[in-house]
Amino acid sequence: MSVKIALAGNPNSGKTTIFNALTGSSQHVGNWPGVTVEKKDGRLKGKPDVVIQDLPGIYSLSPYTLEEVVTRNYLVAEKPDTIINIVDASNLERNLYLTMQLLELGIPVVIALNMMDIVRKRGDKINVSKLQDQLRCPVVETSAVGGDGLQQLINQACELAQLGKASQPQIVFSQRLEKTLAQVGDLLETAGVLKRPELKRWLAVKLFERDEKLLAELHLSDTVRQRLEKMTAECEAELDDDSESIITNERYEYISRLLQQAAKKTLPTGQLSLSDKIDKVVTNRLLALPIFAAVMFVIYYVSITTVGGLLTDWANDGVFGDGWHLFGIGSGAYEAAAEIDPDADPAEFGVWVPGIPVVLENLLAAVNCADWLQSLVLDGIVAGVGAVLGFLPQMMVLFIFLAILEDCGYMARVAFIMDRIFRRFGLSGKSFIPMLVATGCGVPGVMATRTIEKEADRKIAIVTTTFMPCGAKLPIIALIAGALFAESGWVAPICYFIGIAAIIVSGIILKKMRFFAGEPAPFVMELPSYHLPQVKSVLLTMWDRSQSFVKKAGTIILLSTIVIWALGSYNFSMQPTETQDSMLADIGRTVAPVFAPLGWGDQWEAAVGTVTGLIAKENVVSTFGSLYVGLDEVSEDGNEFWAVVAAKYTPLAAFSFMLFNLLCAPCFAAIGAIRREMGSLRWTAFAVGYQCALAYASAMVFYQIGILLNGGTFGLLSAFSLALLAVFLWLLLRPEPKASQNKIQTVFES
Ligand code: GDP
Ligand code: MG
């Protein structure tokens, strides 16, 4: 017999951790709310007939947010055999609010008191048997990260499922409320809308709360509706409150009575825990932003420039270059000797491991392989794919840092800080969560916008999320920083802040347009207490993000480099030729003038890179690798990559190139995600159009003003750029248009 078990709980209560432990899968675990947007199912390890469903994290079963609707529709329509309600035991009061509602559904519930390790560390006490008696359902203590209690939890859940619908005894509210709920329940029964008797209690409560969605779904007749309204209004009049608040208050009263008996806190109220003390500083009104900026600066600096940079040098020069000396022994002596005699044999100076290009070259020469094939492998694939893979170490280091920040709980604070800023401009603080996800990859970033309730705010987030520098844009940043800015540490962090700035600025501009106007929905979020990051989950997250990068290198990027190689090696009469005379050069030269105002129109390779970047952003660098290093006869040497790029661009042009590629339309996969989330071609076109326009305008204004500041002459383009800047500032700073919704409201009120 197959058993369906659903995991439900507040955001950040540990659902996904438990889901992963039970099913052996590796879903993303994040220490901030809203990570699980979709529901995911898996099978119990060792017992494939038990299906386990991970549901989005929610605080309540009201109809206000997408996650809540997804969850309650699932629970009501799919009738799982058991609900495992995961409760963050370190935050019982808030979490039990959902428990109260789950208990109304008439589905057997097992409560997992998770995060018990934190509770114990704090010295707090929870009386489990009291909780069990009062809530009338099994309660199991767990600590998901250590796996404690999970076996007992799943055993309990399966046992309950086997028992069938053990109708759960209800929690009893005040007499007055119970009277009305009984009336409503009876009304539903006599009206014949109660198809499933076990839902009587839940429906009665929801209809008493005037749940719009359910009222619409049930197709109640007018007389039934009127009687319902009368019952509700009577109760409201007697208790002197609106029905929703009545229910909320009674639930919280029940919970606080329960906790008085069943939970004991060590900390006297008013005293701050360590977590609270850190928060006092980290979320401080004045310090919060500088601290966040400093943290991100250090992370990008260390990942791209120092540690990551060293690893990348090693990868670029060693693995994808000539090779390297084992443990560095002899490399210094060899370099000294090579200065004098370029033909010196490195093997004479210690254990020398040749790089991949050298090995492949020897191999291909040994098997007497055709020239064109050698060129394809060495100049096309190795130069192109190698150029991208060389940046993998930097990316992995960055992903580890981001995963640590996420896991320890800091990123949740950042979302909270950002909410304060975003709110000022009428934006939803929830937009920050997609931004965080997008630093890995834009596709899940765009998908994470689903947590934003207001359609207009969600659209703004979809349009802007991919401005963040995702993993695939990192090689571009690292290349430009390394080649033109002497690996100076500020380039990479600047790109991160440019991404955030582009999002905020776009948000402000779009919000002032009529369609997007309106107050943002409230952003409720719990700050999880800080904890040491779990090595396993950090590595898992890092691997999750890097893996897709490696996979792309072996597929899309590989294919693209082959096409680039072919187009760059032959002319239109299909004759082998120099790259400068190839089809690709012709095509590139046709497109390049478009980018002339941005400062890099004389480099057709840059135009080609930008276009191939639409397929995957890594292609920008792999195309440079193939065109500047692989196919370019002048330099056959891997470690000259940066030198070649440095010789071709001025720093101003290179930065403008990077700026454009950072902000312009994302790769096809992300555009596809935008299309899915927008659900409309016109909105997709708007998003891509806006992104490209912003990218083009920013890069042009940056470059042209840069030229002026460097003593260039004032021309038509400079004038145009200044005008563009003025328009941009006007869009940004103009007052809210009159038509915005809140204005209309005040007009009506006065
Ligand atoms: P979800 O949002 O409910 O899916 O929660 P997650 O499974 O993503 O977990 C949120 C965070 O809490 C992660 O950083 C987990 O590592 C951490 N976590 C989960 N369970 C426990 C636990 O029992 N003890 C502690 N200390 N941390 C936990
Ligand atoms: Mg989750």
Side-chain angles (χ1 to χ4, degrees):
M1 191 194 77
S2 83
V3 175
K4 257 194 301 193
I5 296 176
L7 303 183
N10 283 189
N12 243 348
S13 55
K15 283 180 311 307
T16 306
T17 311
I18 291 190
F19 177 82
N20 286 349
L22 293 178
T23 61
S25 88
S26 54
Q27 297 294 349
H28 182 79
V29 175
N31 202 351
W32 78 70
V35 168
T36 313
V37 184
E38 287 176 292
K39 48 187 172 55
K40 290 176 185 120
D41 59 12
R43 290 172 185 276
L44 181 61
K45 256 194 292 192
K47 253 197 182 171
D49 55 341
V50 178
V51 176
I52 298 178
Q53 183 85 49
D54 188 19
L55 293 168
I58 47 170
Y59 294 113
S60 128
L61 287 181
S62 59
Y64 300 127
T65 72
L66 196 59
E67 298 106 310
E68 289 174 355
V69 174
V70 166
T71 303
R72 81 179 203 183
N73 284 352
Y74 173 84
L75 292 176
V76 170
E78 303 279 324
K79 280 194 284 185
D81 298 296
T82 317
I83 299 174
I84 295 184
N85 173 210
I86 294 159
V87 163
D88 174 357
S90 67
N91 210 337
L92 262 184
E93 188 164 3
R94 180 66 180 264
N95 277 249
L96 287 177
Y97 189 73
L98 176 67
T99 308
M100 304 281 293
Q101 300 175 60
L102 293 175
L103 288 173
E104 281 163 6
L105 286 166
I107 299 170
V109 174
V110 184
I111 294 178
L113 269 191
N114 195 32
M115 313 254 182
M116 277 310 286
D117 51 329
I118 295 181
V119 173
R120 291 198 192 100
K121 210 180 287 167
R122 280 193 203 158
D124 295 351
K125 294 265 178 325
I126 296 176
N127 186 335
V128 174
S129 62
K130 265 262 163 51
L131 276 185
Q132 272 184 147
D133 288 350
Q134 296 280 322
L135 294 170
R136 306 177 198 202
C137 67
V139 176
V140 181
E141 295 180 51
T142 63
S143 174
V145 281
D148 299 344
L150 295 186
Q151 193 55 47
Q152 197 197 340
L153 177 68
I154 195 71
N155 289 348
Q156 280 278 7
C158 291
E159 212 170 283
L160 269 195
Q162 240 95 54
L163 283 178
K165 241 186 294 117
S167 72
Q168 211 116 34
Q170 305 297 346
I171 282 166
V172 184
F173 292 131
S174 74
Q175 263 182 354
R176 180 63 194 86
L177 178 57
E178 285 297 338
K179 189 177 126 198
T180 307
L181 290 179
Q183 285 173 344
V184 174
D186 292 344
L187 175 68
L188 292 175
E189 237 161 20
T190 46
V193 287
L194 199 63
K195 307 251 159 44
R196 283 165 49 194
E198 77 271 16
L199 285 179
K200 182 171 167 184
R201 174 76 174 189
W202 188 68
L203 282 176
V205 172
K206 286 290 142 190
L207 290 185
F208 177 71
E209 287 180 316
R210 300 196 180 86
D211 185 299
E212 294 293 339
K213 275 224 161 61
L214 277 179
L215 278 170
E217 274 167 34
L218 286 177
H219 304 296
L220 300 177
S221 69
D222 282 348
T223 39
V224 173
R225 268 193 184 233
Q226 276 157 16
R227 289 181 58 194
L228 192 64
E229 183 53 41
K230 189 158 160 274
M231 291 168 181
T232 309
E234 264 173 24
C235 184
E236 284 177 323
E238 250 175 82
L239 294 178
D240 192 25
D241 211 341
D242 66 285
S243 66
E244 242 181 306
S245 310
I246 294 174
I247 297 271
T248 311
N249 288 340
E250 295 233 357
R251 282 190 182 131
Y252 273 124
E253 270 164 30
Y254 181 92
I255 293 170
S256 71
R257 273 199 310 273
L258 175 65
L259 290 185
Q260 256 166 20
Q261 299 171 23
K264 207 172 125 256
K265 288 204 178 228
T266 322
L267 274 181
T269 32
Q271 195 172 326
L272 296 178
S273 68
L274 179 63
S275 217
D276 294 337
K277 279 183 199 150
I278 299 176
D279 276 345
K280 276 228 135 168
V281 180
V282 170
T283 63
N284 176 287
R285 274 187 186 279
L286 293 175
L287 295 178
L289 268 190
I291 291 178
F292 170 59
V295 167
M296 286 332 269
F297 187 90
V298 169
I299 282 186
Y300 272 79
Y301 180 78
V302 172
S303 322
I304 306 295
T305 311
T306 57
V307 180
L310 280 178
L311 290 172
T312 289
D313 284 350
W314 170 80
N316 276 336
D317 299 346
V319 184
F320 297 105
D322 284 349
W324 73 98
H325 276 89
L326 223 50
F327 314 117
I329 298 164
S331 62
Y334 164 68
E335 272 158 28
E339 292 264 307
I340 303 161
D341 173 17
D343 290 330
D345 181 5
E348 284 177 11
F349 296 87
V351 186
W352 184 74
V353 184
I356 292 174
V358 179
V359 174
L360 274 176
E361 193 173 351
N362 293 340
L363 199 79
L364 292 175
V367 297
N368 244 337
C369 150
D371 277 354
W372 69 267
L373 189 58
Q374 263 199 45
S375 164
L376 167 63
V377 172
L378 294 173
D379 307 335
I381 296 175
V382 173
V385 178
V388 174
L389 281 183
F391 290 107
L392 185 61
Q394 281 173 324
M395 203 175 299
M396 289 167 81
V397 174
L398 178 68
F399 287 158
I400 287 184
F401 277 124
L402 290 178
I404 290 176
L405 280 193
E406 213 174 273
D407 201 39
C408 75
Y410 179 66
M411 281 307 190
R413 270 76 187 171
V414 177
F416 174 74
I417 301 163
M418 284 296 174
D419 183 50
R420 277 201 309 235
I421 301 172
F422 281 17
R423 190 156 297 280
R424 245 197 246 155
F425 303 114
L427 295 166
S428 163
K430 275 198 175 174
S431 338
F432 189 66
I433 292 159
M435 287 164 63
L436 280 178
V437 179
T439 49
C441 172
V443 174
V446 169
M447 276 163 64
T449 58
R450 285 185 202 172
T451 52
I452 301 170
E453 296 91 3
K454 291 262 298 245
E455 196 49 34
D457 291 352
R458 189 167 118 82
K459 286 208 159 72
I460 293 185
I462 298 174
V463 174
T464 56
T465 295
T466 53
F467 288 148
M468 290 309 281
C470 67
K473 290 177 190 165
L474 278 189
I476 310 178
I477 297 168
L479 173 67
I480 300 294
L484 281 132
F485 297 95
E487 305 196 38
S488 42
W490 55 267
V491 179
I494 276 279
C495 288
Y496 184 81
F497 295 124
I498 288 176
I500 294 188
I503 291 176
I504 295 184
V505 163
S506 302
I508 298 171
I509 291 179
L510 292 176
K511 200 71 197 174
K512 285 183 180 169
M513 296 183 177
R514 173 103 57 84
F515 176 85
F516 296 104
E519 290 291 314
F523 173 40
V524 206
M525 77 169 268
E526 192 98 11
L527 294 182
S529 46
Y530 288 100
H531 62 105
L532 280 181
Q534 305 292 316
V535 177
K536 192 178 145 208
S537 99
V538 166
L539 290 181
L540 215 84
T541 311
M542 183 275 285
W543 177 239
D544 197 44
R545 292 177 177 171
S546 320
Q547 189 196 22
S548 67
F549 182 75
V550 177
K551 238 189 244 160
K552 270 199 283 181
T555 50
I556 301 181
I557 299 166
L558 177 67
L559 259 170
S560 308
T561 48
I562 294 177
V563 174
I564 292 287
W565 171 84
L567 293 174
S569 301
Y570 294 87
N571 59 20
F572 275 109
S573 356
M574 292 325 244
Q575 296 300 315
T577 172
E578 292 290 305
T579 317
Q580 290 303 323
D581 306 319
S582 65
M583 284 186 258
L584 195 64
D586 285 347
I587 299 171
R589 283 193 198 102
T590 320
V591 184
V594 175
F595 300 113
L598 314 193
W600 35 280
D602 54 337
Q603 294 290 327
W604 62 266
E605 291 91 342
V608 172
T610 301
V611 174
T612 55
L614 289 177
I615 300 168
K617 288 290 163 198
E618 293 94 335
N619 270 343
V620 176
V621 166
S622 68
T623 303
F624 273 25
S626 299
L627 294 181
Y628 283 138
V629 185
L631 294 172
D632 195 335
E633 289 302 315
V634 197
S635 56
E636 287 277 82
D637 202 357
N639 46 16
E640 277 182 31
F641 186 21
W642 290 7
V644 177
V645 173
K648 301 263 180 186
Y649 296 86
T650 62
L652 213 53
F655 198 92
S656 146
F657 175 76
M658 181 174 72
L659 191 59
F660 182 83
N661 274 286
L662 207 58
L663 300 179
C664 73
C667 63
F668 285 150
I671 296 177
I674 292 177
R675 160 99 180 78
R676 277 196 303 280
E677 297 304 316
M678 287 286 195
S680 120
L681 267 181
R682 275 176 53 194
W683 275 108
T684 314
F686 171 80
V688 171
Y690 178 81
Q691 291 157 350
C692 291
L694 182 74
Y696 196 91
S698 324
M700 176 161 87
V701 169
F702 169 82
Y703 180 74
Q704 296 296 341
I705 292 181
I707 290 280
L708 275 188
L709 292 179
N710 274 329
T713 46
F714 193 90
L716 206 59
L717 275 173
S718 341
F720 186 63
S721 298
L722 286 176
L724 208 58
L725 186 63
V727 171
F728 176 77
L729 287 177
W730 176 75
L731 281 174
L732 189 66
L733 301 175
R734 73 188 168 133
E736 297 248 342
K738 283 231 166 56
S740 96
Q741 288 171 2
N742 28 13
K743 287 267 167 56
I744 292 177
Q745 254 168 22
T746 43
V747 171
F748 285 144
E749 273 163 17
S750 59

